[in-house]
Amino acid sequence: MHSSTEQRWLYWLISPVAWASFSITIFIISFFFPPFTFERYIHEPYHGFLNWWSALYTTLCLVACVFGWWFFTRVAPPVRYEPRNQFEAYSPVTLVDLGVGMVLFMANLAFTYGIWKEGAFQQLANIGQSSEEAAAFFEEVIATADEKGLGSLLQLSGLIIPWFYWLRIQAIQSGSGTDRLVASGLFCAVFVSYLFPLMLLGKRNSVLIPCFGIFLVWFMSRVKYGKVNPVKFALILIVFGVSVFAMFFMVEVIRNGILAGEKDLSELWTRVIGYMIAPYNQQGAMIMGDLEFPGGGKGYYWTLWFWKIPVLQHFMDAEAILGTVPPYGVYERCDVLEANGFIPHFTALSIFANSFVDFGWFGIAPFLAYGFVGAFTWKRFREGTVDGIVLYTMFAYSVLEWRGNLLFPPPYFGVALIVLTALGMGRWILRTARFNHKRMYSSAARN
């Protein structure tokens, strides 16, 4: 049973509009946030309070995003909610899915073994890191793993996991006992092998991305199969949100020694304000000319994924071609912030500030493409396709985290596109062959 026309509006509860509402609310709070409160906890001037230039720039970026979205809806065919034939009605696990899953599973195990062998887990447990130190440490771990091709594959697992979860849901809904066993085993193997090292490393964002994707797929499936319950959705969304904030607070409490009595709760407020508000303080400072990142005006942040494409990254060095590029790592940004008179604690930039570094006021323009691609991923997600599941997970999370960097396209987007293309084409070939075989068999049986 598939979603009825009356229920389709429920899809919009997990649409970019819902996540953008949260992100815009954070910006509005930052716009009116009292400067004396910010300066009391962060110990630096607040450039975001009633900053109309920052508000204008953000609004224009949003208008460009909406226009790109609208343009896609004008040129694209409508969403196909119902399958056209048996071929589209059920997506079983194919050999291509198993192959990709096996590669990711082995890469995750190799990553875990490698960082354990290097003493990364022991080191992390002994240094009582701040958020910045933990982020920098994780960057070093990923950079070391990337030398062996494992870092990008680990992060790729976080994007593919929602697709494996969708295969599992379909197997439970329409498959045989063997189908359910294979799909569940594939999902659990990749999910657990991905989650284990990241939980130990304390990398919250990387843990949340696949969990957020699983939530999106779960709700989409409830609507698609006519089993949605708005009350249950609201409760689960609340539980998910509370769990995320609880994880954030607990990690900060442990890292900053609040439980041990080394610091008081004011340090926790510093972390919360810095995490939510500081990115827009830096955005306001940039737009007013009080903060400048070197290497701006070259589109580096929007095209970072291109410079990180496997194999090509060894032949095309961004700095050799572009010259000085803007700081991306935690330590690099800390140095720039300190040089500009800022406290080098909170290094995240809003997506709008990232675009401003790249193109100044012309940074509004990329949001036309951002909105267009977002509308494409949203359409394909509702159709339940592999590219829709994978790409919309990335896009929706980036919208939810507008305050915390440019997350779509992510740095590993190049390898994601390569694997996604191979996965999509391989599945199409195998499923077409299977469907044609079944149709020929049925025709022969009737004759």
Side-chain angles (χ1 to χ4, degrees):
M1 178 179 177
H2 293 272
S3 58
S4 64
T5 303
E6 293 76 15
Q7 289 182 314
R8 287 173 186 167
W9 69 269
L10 293 169
Y11 281 115
W12 288 91
L13 294 175
I14 55 170
S15 73
V17 174
W19 315 125
S21 299
F22 172 81
S23 291
I24 293 170
T25 300
I26 297 299
F27 174 77
I28 293 173
I29 291 173
S30 74
F31 184 74
F32 292 104
F33 198 80
F36 59 86
T37 302
F38 184 89
E39 293 166 10
R40 173 186 174 186
Y41 289 100
I42 308 300
H43 309 297
E44 65 184 26
Y46 186 50
H47 301 267
F49 178 68
L50 297 182
N51 189 324
W52 294 102
W53 288 110
S54 180
L56 175 62
Y57 183 79
T58 301
T59 301
L60 291 175
C61 289
L62 294 175
V63 170
C65 184
V66 170
F67 184 81
W69 184 286
W70 172 85
F71 183 70
F72 177 86
T73 62
R74 299 277 73 80
V75 300
V79 178
R80 287 189 294 105
Y81 289 100
E82 307 296 339
R84 290 179 296 191
N85 50 46
Q86 184 183 357
F87 174 71
E88 294 182 344
Y90 168 48
S91 297
V93 176
T94 67
L95 290 176
V96 177
D97 297 299
L98 289 175
V100 171
M102 182 59 66
V103 170
L104 295 178
F105 175 67
M106 297 303 295
N108 293 345
L109 291 182
F111 177 86
T112 304
Y113 175 74
I115 58 178
W116 172 78
K117 188 177 180 181
E118 295 296 327
F121 292 149
Q122 296 90 326
Q123 180 182 352
L124 185 70
N126 292 332
I127 59 179
Q129 297 170 318
S130 67
S131 295
E132 294 72 42
E133 291 170 331
F137 177 72
F138 183 75
E139 288 176 1
E140 294 173 1
V141 169
I142 290 294
T144 301
D146 265 338
E147 295 176 1
K148 301 177 181 179
L150 299 177
S152 295
L153 287 177
L154 176 81
Q155 296 175 88
L156 183 63
S157 290
L159 305 180
I160 301 296
I161 283 170
W163 169 248
F164 290 158
Y165 183 67
W166 175 229
L167 291 177
R168 179 179 179 272
I169 288 178
Q170 291 181 92
I172 293 174
Q173 179 71 24
S174 307
S176 64
T178 301
D179 289 341
R180 297 188 192 101
L181 181 62
V182 171
S184 297
L186 175 64
F187 165 71
C188 292
V190 178
F191 184 54
V192 173
S193 64
Y194 169 84
L195 210 62
F196 178 71
L198 293 176
M199 289 291 288
L200 292 178
L201 289 171
K203 189 58 178 175
R204 292 173 300 207
N205 252 4
S206 297
V207 170
L208 288 176
I209 288 174
C211 294
F212 181 68
I214 289 171
F215 169 75
L216 295 177
V217 171
W218 170 82
F219 185 76
M220 180 267 286
S221 70
R222 305 300 290 182
V223 179
K224 189 175 287 290
Y225 292 122
K227 299 179 179 179
V228 69
N229 183 327
V231 175
K232 188 175 182 180
F233 164 79
L235 290 175
I236 291 178
L237 185 60
I238 291 172
V239 170
F240 182 78
V242 170
S243 299
V244 170
F245 279 106
M247 181 175 68
F248 171 83
F249 286 130
M250 285 305 300
V251 170
E252 292 302 325
V253 165
I254 294 171
R255 279 177 177 168
N256 291 283
I258 295 175
L259 286 179
E262 299 172 8
K263 296 180 181 178
D264 57 29
L265 286 176
S266 64
E267 181 65 24
L268 182 59
W269 282 114
T270 297
R271 308 308 303 180
V272 173
I273 294 172
Y275 187 79
M276 304 299 289
I277 306 299
Y280 289 114
N281 178 47
Q282 295 178 18
Q283 174 180 316
M286 284 181 173
I287 292 176
M288 301 307 294
D290 295 314
L291 173 62
E292 184 176 352
F293 273 22
K298 300 172 183 177
Y300 179 70
Y301 287 144
W302 277 108
T303 61
L304 181 61
W305 66 273
F306 175 79
W307 305 106
K308 298 290 186 181
I309 293 177
V311 181
L312 289 181
Q313 65 179 332
H314 299 296
F315 299 97
M316 296 189 305
D317 180 68
E319 290 194 76
I321 297 175
L322 300 177
T324 302
V325 297
Y328 184 76
V330 173
Y331 285 145
E332 294 175 358
R333 285 189 175 177
C334 282
D335 292 340
V336 172
L337 290 172
E338 192 170 19
N340 282 268
F342 287 76
I343 304 297
H345 284 329
F346 305 102
T347 61
L349 295 178
S350 71
I351 186 175
F352 313 109
N354 274 266
S355 201
F356 190 84
V357 171
D358 273 357
F359 303 111
W361 280 88
F362 290 104
I364 298 164
F367 285 93
L368 291 168
Y370 184 84
F372 187 91
V373 173
F376 167 78
T377 67
W378 173 232
K379 173 182 180 293
R380 298 289 285 173
F381 176 79
R382 286 175 290 169
E383 293 175 346
T385 63
V386 60
D387 58 313
I389 299 294
V390 173
L391 293 177
Y392 182 68
T393 298
M394 283 190 278
F395 181 80
Y397 192 79
S398 78
V399 174
L400 186 65
E401 277 283 79
W402 274 347
R403 55 114 233 127
N405 268 319
L406 199 164
L407 300 178
F408 184 89
Y412 46 91
F413 191 59
V415 67
L417 287 180
I418 293 172
V419 174
L420 184 58
T421 300
L423 185 61
M425 291 183 62
R427 282 184 53 82
W428 182 82
I429 292 171
L430 290 176
R431 293 190 63 214
T432 300
R434 178 184 295 183
F435 179 71
N436 289 337
H437 176 75
K438 287 183 177 180
R439 187 168 59 180
M440 291 175 59
Y441 181 81
S442 299
S443 178
R446 286 195 299 268
N447 294 333

Short mmCIF file of all heavy atoms in Angstrom, two decimals, residues 5 9 18 54 77 79 85 88 113 119 147 160 171 185 203 224 240 287 330 342 375 378 393 423 429 438:
data_model
loop_
_atom_site.label_atom_id
_atom_site.label_comp_id
_atom_site.label_asym_id
_atom_site.label_seq_id
_atom_site.Cartn_x
_atom_site.Cartn_y
_atom_site.Cartn_z
N THR A 5 -3.03 10.41 -1.76
CA THR A 5 -2.88 11.83 -2.07
C THR A 5 -3.04 12.69 -0.83
O THR A 5 -2.36 13.69 -0.65
CB THR A 5 -3.91 12.24 -3.14
OG1 THR A 5 -3.73 11.40 -4.29
CG2 THR A 5 -3.74 13.69 -3.53
N TRP A 9 1.15 15.48 1.81
CA TRP A 9 1.60 16.73 2.41
C TRP A 9 2.51 16.46 3.60
O TRP A 9 3.33 17.32 3.98
CB TRP A 9 0.40 17.57 2.85
CG TRP A 9 -0.36 16.98 4.01
CD1 TRP A 9 -1.40 16.13 3.96
CD2 TRP A 9 -0.09 17.21 5.40
NE1 TRP A 9 -1.82 15.79 5.22
CE2 TRP A 9 -1.03 16.44 6.13
CE3 TRP A 9 0.84 17.96 6.10
CZ2 TRP A 9 -1.06 16.42 7.51
CZ3 TRP A 9 0.82 17.95 7.49
CH2 TRP A 9 -0.13 17.19 8.18
N ALA A 18 11.38 22.60 6.51
CA ALA A 18 11.37 22.35 7.95
C ALA A 18 12.73 22.61 8.57
O ALA A 18 12.86 23.26 9.61
CB ALA A 18 10.94 20.91 8.23
N SER A 54 24.63 42.18 7.41
CA SER A 54 24.67 40.72 7.50
C SER A 54 23.29 40.13 7.23
O SER A 54 23.15 39.11 6.54
CB SER A 54 25.15 40.29 8.89
OG SER A 54 25.20 38.88 9.00
N PRO A 77 9.91 17.30 -14.35
CA PRO A 77 8.63 16.58 -14.33
C PRO A 77 8.17 16.40 -12.88
O PRO A 77 8.97 16.47 -11.95
CB PRO A 77 8.98 15.24 -14.97
CG PRO A 77 10.45 15.07 -14.75
CD PRO A 77 11.02 16.44 -14.82
N VAL A 79 6.81 14.75 -9.32
CA VAL A 79 7.29 13.60 -8.54
C VAL A 79 6.46 12.37 -8.87
O VAL A 79 5.23 12.43 -8.95
CB VAL A 79 7.19 13.91 -7.03
CG1 VAL A 79 7.65 12.70 -6.22
CG2 VAL A 79 8.00 15.13 -6.68
N ASN A 85 5.85 0.19 -12.53
CA ASN A 85 5.73 -1.23 -12.82
C ASN A 85 6.37 -2.03 -11.69
O ASN A 85 6.86 -1.46 -10.70
CB ASN A 85 6.40 -1.57 -14.17
CG ASN A 85 7.81 -1.01 -14.25
OD1 ASN A 85 8.59 -1.14 -13.31
ND2 ASN A 85 8.14 -0.37 -15.37
N GLU A 88 9.93 -1.21 -10.42
CA GLU A 88 10.18 -0.12 -9.48
C GLU A 88 9.51 -0.35 -8.12
O GLU A 88 9.75 0.39 -7.18
CB GLU A 88 9.67 1.20 -10.06
CG GLU A 88 10.44 1.66 -11.30
CD GLU A 88 9.92 2.98 -11.82
OE1 GLU A 88 8.80 3.37 -11.42
OE2 GLU A 88 10.61 3.63 -12.62
N TYR A 113 41.19 -0.43 13.04
CA TYR A 113 42.44 -1.11 13.43
C TYR A 113 43.63 -0.17 13.31
O TYR A 113 44.51 -0.15 14.19
CB TYR A 113 42.66 -2.34 12.55
CG TYR A 113 44.00 -3.03 12.79
CD1 TYR A 113 44.19 -3.79 13.94
CD2 TYR A 113 45.05 -2.88 11.89
CE1 TYR A 113 45.42 -4.40 14.18
CE2 TYR A 113 46.27 -3.50 12.13
CZ TYR A 113 46.45 -4.25 13.27
OH TYR A 113 47.67 -4.85 13.51
N GLY A 119 47.55 4.16 18.45
CA GLY A 119 47.31 4.68 19.79
C GLY A 119 46.36 5.86 19.85
O GLY A 119 46.36 6.61 20.82
N GLU A 147 45.75 8.90 3.47
CA GLU A 147 46.96 8.46 2.77
C GLU A 147 46.82 7.01 2.31
O GLU A 147 47.46 6.59 1.35
CB GLU A 147 48.17 8.61 3.68
CG GLU A 147 48.47 10.07 4.04
CD GLU A 147 49.63 10.19 5.02
OE1 GLU A 147 50.20 9.13 5.38
OE2 GLU A 147 49.96 11.32 5.40
N ILE A 160 26.08 6.39 2.65
CA ILE A 160 25.45 5.22 2.04
C ILE A 160 24.55 4.48 3.03
O ILE A 160 23.61 3.79 2.64
CB ILE A 160 26.53 4.27 1.48
CG1 ILE A 160 27.38 4.99 0.45
CG2 ILE A 160 25.90 3.03 0.87
CD1 ILE A 160 26.64 5.43 -0.79
N ALA A 171 12.80 -4.62 2.12
CA ALA A 171 12.85 -6.08 2.28
C ALA A 171 11.85 -6.54 3.33
O ALA A 171 11.17 -7.56 3.16
CB ALA A 171 14.26 -6.51 2.65
N GLY A 185 21.51 -7.62 7.51
CA GLY A 185 22.93 -7.87 7.75
C GLY A 185 23.80 -6.82 7.10
O GLY A 185 24.78 -6.35 7.70
N LYS A 203 33.38 12.16 17.62
CA LYS A 203 33.05 13.02 16.47
C LYS A 203 31.54 13.06 16.31
O LYS A 203 30.93 12.21 15.66
CB LYS A 203 33.71 12.46 15.20
CG LYS A 203 33.60 13.39 14.00
CD LYS A 203 34.22 14.74 14.27
CE LYS A 203 34.14 15.62 13.02
NZ LYS A 203 34.62 16.98 13.28
N LYS A 224 5.09 6.69 2.59
CA LYS A 224 4.98 5.95 1.33
C LYS A 224 4.10 4.72 1.48
O LYS A 224 3.33 4.37 0.57
CB LYS A 224 6.38 5.57 0.83
CG LYS A 224 6.38 4.99 -0.59
CD LYS A 224 7.80 4.76 -1.07
CE LYS A 224 8.49 6.05 -1.41
NZ LYS A 224 7.94 6.70 -2.63
N PHE A 240 14.60 12.67 19.24
CA PHE A 240 15.83 12.81 18.46
C PHE A 240 16.54 14.12 18.80
O PHE A 240 17.75 14.16 19.04
CB PHE A 240 15.52 12.75 16.96
CG PHE A 240 16.73 12.83 16.07
CD1 PHE A 240 17.55 11.73 15.88
CD2 PHE A 240 17.04 14.02 15.42
CE1 PHE A 240 18.66 11.82 15.06
CE2 PHE A 240 18.15 14.11 14.61
CZ PHE A 240 18.96 13.00 14.42
N ILE A 287 31.56 40.78 6.88
CA ILE A 287 30.81 41.68 6.01
C ILE A 287 31.13 43.14 6.32
O ILE A 287 31.17 43.98 5.42
CB ILE A 287 29.31 41.39 6.14
CG1 ILE A 287 29.00 40.00 5.54
CG2 ILE A 287 28.47 42.46 5.45
CD1 ILE A 287 27.57 39.56 5.70
N VAL A 330 41.05 23.43 11.59
CA VAL A 330 40.81 24.13 12.85
C VAL A 330 42.00 24.99 13.24
O VAL A 330 41.85 26.18 13.56
CB VAL A 330 40.49 23.11 13.96
CG1 VAL A 330 40.41 23.80 15.31
CG2 VAL A 330 39.18 22.39 13.66
N PHE A 342 40.57 38.11 17.29
CA PHE A 342 39.48 37.30 17.83
C PHE A 342 40.03 36.20 18.74
O PHE A 342 41.18 35.77 18.57
CB PHE A 342 38.67 36.66 16.69
CG PHE A 342 37.81 37.62 15.93
CD1 PHE A 342 38.36 38.51 15.02
CD2 PHE A 342 36.44 37.66 16.15
CE1 PHE A 342 37.57 39.40 14.33
CE2 PHE A 342 35.63 38.55 15.46
CZ PHE A 342 36.20 39.43 14.55
N ALA A 375 16.29 21.10 -4.73
CA ALA A 375 14.97 20.69 -5.22
C ALA A 375 15.05 19.35 -5.94
O ALA A 375 14.15 18.51 -5.82
CB ALA A 375 14.41 21.77 -6.15
N TRP A 378 15.39 16.57 -3.30
CA TRP A 378 14.12 16.40 -2.59
C TRP A 378 13.12 15.61 -3.43
O TRP A 378 12.43 14.73 -2.93
CB TRP A 378 13.58 17.77 -2.20
CG TRP A 378 12.21 17.81 -1.60
CD1 TRP A 378 11.17 18.58 -2.01
CD2 TRP A 378 11.73 17.08 -0.46
NE1 TRP A 378 10.06 18.38 -1.21
CE2 TRP A 378 10.38 17.46 -0.24
CE3 TRP A 378 12.30 16.14 0.39
CZ2 TRP A 378 9.60 16.93 0.78
CZ3 TRP A 378 11.52 15.61 1.42
CH2 TRP A 378 10.19 16.01 1.61
N THR A 393 20.06 13.24 1.94
CA THR A 393 20.60 13.17 3.29
C THR A 393 21.66 14.23 3.50
O THR A 393 21.67 14.94 4.51
CB THR A 393 21.21 11.78 3.56
OG1 THR A 393 20.19 10.79 3.46
CG2 THR A 393 21.84 11.71 4.94
N LEU A 423 27.13 2.61 -8.18
CA LEU A 423 26.05 1.90 -7.50
C LEU A 423 24.75 1.99 -8.31
O LEU A 423 24.06 0.98 -8.51
CB LEU A 423 25.84 2.51 -6.11
CG LEU A 423 24.82 1.84 -5.18
CD1 LEU A 423 25.21 0.40 -4.91
CD2 LEU A 423 24.71 2.62 -3.88
N ILE A 429 21.51 -2.09 -14.19
CA ILE A 429 21.84 -3.19 -15.11
C ILE A 429 21.35 -4.52 -14.55
O ILE A 429 20.69 -5.31 -15.24
CB ILE A 429 23.35 -3.24 -15.39
CG1 ILE A 429 23.77 -2.00 -16.19
CG2 ILE A 429 23.73 -4.51 -16.15
CD1 ILE A 429 25.28 -1.86 -16.33
N LYS A 438 12.37 -12.37 -15.53
CA LYS A 438 11.09 -12.75 -14.94
C LYS A 438 9.95 -12.58 -15.94
O LYS A 438 9.03 -13.39 -16.02
CB LYS A 438 10.82 -11.91 -13.69
CG LYS A 438 11.67 -12.28 -12.48
CD LYS A 438 11.28 -11.45 -11.27
CE LYS A 438 12.07 -11.88 -10.04
NZ LYS A 438 11.70 -11.07 -8.86
#
